[in-house]
Amino acid sequence: MAVVQTGRRMEEGWGRRFPVSLRPGEAALYEGLREAVPIIDAALQKIVRLTSGFHLVCGDPGGQAFLDRFRKEIPVGAGGRGLDGFLSGYLMSLLTYGSAVGEMVLSPAGDRIGALYLSDLGDLELRCGENPLEAELLLAGPGGGTPLPYPELVFFSALNPEPGQAAGRSLLRGLPFLSSVLTEIYRAMGENFRRIGALRYAVTVKPEPGTDAGTIADAVAREWSGAMAASAQGEIRDFVAVGDVEIKVIGADNQFIDTQVPVRQLLEQIVAKTGLPPFLLGLSWSTTERMSRQQADILTTELESYRSILTPVAEKICRMALDLAGLPGEVEIAWESISLQDETEEANARYTNARAALLEQELKKKEAEG
């Protein structure tokens, strides 16, 4: 195996002796972000749905029929079924935590793939190999990680790992600070509504000189409370008082702080991190037709990069299934077009190029004849 010259060997390093958990330390924070900021969870769900959509292609007819059944019927976890669902969960783990691990579980007889299992990253540890090109998955335990007995049945993917690192980085990296500011704004809005939204009244009585102010105040308070209680029951009841009485709404002079600008600025940063056009998340920000088309092109590029990570995983699973079944043929993952709009534009571009080439040929022919 090739030896990396620019990377430190790990025989004596801490990375070799002490494996690290594959579940990132900020995993709970990322999960909390998805719960606290619904637009983040919606963005991840839309990325997964837009990325999915494929069919398996095998040159052997028997292998093709087998793969079609395998894709629909393979059990996934405790209650799922289908290769599509497994890859969706695999991609969700990749986006949320930066890493994903899956396992092909063989049948008791070992003659076929009995199920697919999406591993919990908290149950696994990652240890660097003898050189930076190697990484070993270990099963976490109280006495230290233990090597997996059948590592060839396990596959691991990382999203945008840092140079020299094996574990990936979450798509949500960089969002905790922005999300904390956004949730603080929403929390302040809720507090303001609780303080100002439910109207409270200040009743001021200025009794005449020489009268019992306490008795008058008690009588006004009883009448006011009775009028308010009757209004709560749908009864219209007037409030009658004698003397100089002034009624004001507490907090009526205060106004809510305009939060549209800061909230939009924060949402713009969050949406930019996900790579999705705003209109896919229900944000009605004004965009031109040309800008929307450019955003769709950028989204297509983002989704193609996720598909390039999922393709080796799906191919490994399908090749193993064919080998165990004793069927010949290579398998190919044919992804569906991301949108009909992209396919139409490509067809129009090919038509325009073909027409231009035909006109050039006719012009050259006329020049040759003339």
Side-chain angles (χ1 to χ4, degrees):
M1 184 177 181
V3 177
V4 177
Q5 302 180 80
T6 58
R8 182 169 59 92
R9 296 178 64 85
M10 304 300 292
E11 294 92 346
E12 302 299 332
W14 67 270
R16 178 63 178 169
R17 295 197 306 268
F18 303 104
V20 296
S21 176
L22 197 56
R23 179 182 173 89
E26 60 273 15
L29 179 60
Y30 295 148
E31 295 169 356
L33 285 181
R34 294 181 57 183
E35 295 180 2
V37 186
I39 196 171
I40 294 180
D41 186 65
L44 296 184
Q45 296 287 353
K46 288 187 180 296
I47 290 176
V48 171
R49 285 196 293 269
L50 290 172
T51 305
S52 61
F54 67 94
H55 58 275
L56 306 176
V57 179
C58 182
D60 181 69
Q64 182 66 54
F66 172 80
L67 288 178
D68 291 340
R69 293 193 305 271
F70 176 83
R71 174 193 167 189
K72 296 179 181 179
E73 300 176 0
I74 181 67
V76 177
R81 188 171 294 272
L83 183 59
D84 299 70
F86 173 78
L87 291 180
S88 296
Y90 193 85
L91 178 58
M92 181 61 74
S93 174
L94 201 65
L95 297 174
T96 305
Y97 307 111
S99 302
V101 177
E103 180 181 358
M104 296 175 285
V105 182
L106 299 184
S107 63
D111 58 346
R112 61 183 178 85
I113 298 179
L116 297 175
Y117 176 68
L118 184 62
S119 305
D120 185 350
L121 299 182
D123 297 335
L124 299 169
E125 295 178 348
L126 185 67
R127 181 171 65 183
C128 294
E130 295 182 358
N131 69 70
L133 293 178
E134 298 177 353
E136 182 182 7
L137 290 177
L138 306 175
L139 187 62
T146 58
L148 302 177
Y150 305 104
E152 63 276 6
L153 299 177
V154 179
F155 38 88
F156 163 71
S157 300
L159 178 66
N160 300 327
E162 295 182 352
Q165 301 295 324
R169 294 179 294 176
S170 171
L171 182 66
L172 306 181
R173 185 178 182 180
L175 293 184
F177 171 72
L178 295 175
S179 301
S180 65
V181 177
L182 184 62
T183 53
E184 186 64 28
I185 292 176
Y186 287 147
R187 187 179 298 109
M189 291 171 60
E191 291 292 335
N192 288 334
F193 268 102
R194 276 192 290 270
R195 293 181 178 183
I196 303 177
L199 298 181
R200 293 174 294 172
Y201 299 91
V203 181
T204 304
V205 181
K206 299 178 181 179
E208 296 291 335
T211 59
D212 188 356
T215 303
I216 295 176
D218 291 340
V220 169
R222 288 193 302 270
E223 289 295 324
W224 181 260
S225 299
M228 292 296 100
S231 298
Q233 301 297 326
E235 178 185 351
I236 299 177
R237 180 175 175 181
D238 297 328
F239 171 71
V240 180
V242 178
D244 188 359
V245 179
E246 182 182 4
I247 301 174
K248 291 184 178 180
V249 177
I250 298 176
D253 298 334
N254 297 330
Q255 296 181 356
F256 290 116
I257 299 176
D258 186 9
T259 60
Q260 293 185 3
V261 174
V263 167
R264 172 164 177 171
Q265 290 177 344
L266 293 172
L267 290 179
E268 286 176 346
Q269 297 294 322
I270 294 175
V271 172
K273 182 68 174 178
T274 63
L276 293 174
F279 61 84
L280 285 181
L281 298 173
L283 301 174
S284 57
W285 296 340
S286 59
T287 56
T288 63
E289 181 180 356
R290 182 177 180 85
M291 185 181 299
S292 299
R293 188 180 301 112
Q294 292 174 347
Q295 290 175 345
D297 293 339
I298 295 174
L299 173 62
T300 301
T301 305
E302 292 285 341
L303 299 180
E304 291 291 347
S305 66
Y306 296 137
R307 287 179 170 182
S308 66
I309 299 176
L310 297 178
T311 297
V313 174
E315 289 179 346
K316 181 176 181 178
I317 295 173
C318 294
R319 287 198 186 101
M320 177 66 75
L322 287 175
D323 292 341
L324 292 176
L327 295 173
E330 290 293 326
V331 62
E332 179 184 355
I333 311 300
W335 294 97
E336 299 176 359
S337 298
I338 293 176
S339 70
L340 183 60
Q341 178 182 1
D342 295 338
E343 191 172 303
T344 302
E345 291 179 355
E346 292 177 2
N348 291 334
R350 290 195 299 269
Y351 172 76
T352 303
N353 293 334
R355 185 172 179 81
L358 180 61
L359 292 176
E360 290 178 359
Q361 291 178 1
E362 292 178 355
L363 181 60
K364 291 180 180 180
K365 184 177 180 181
K366 291 182 180 180
E367 291 178 352
E369 293 176 351

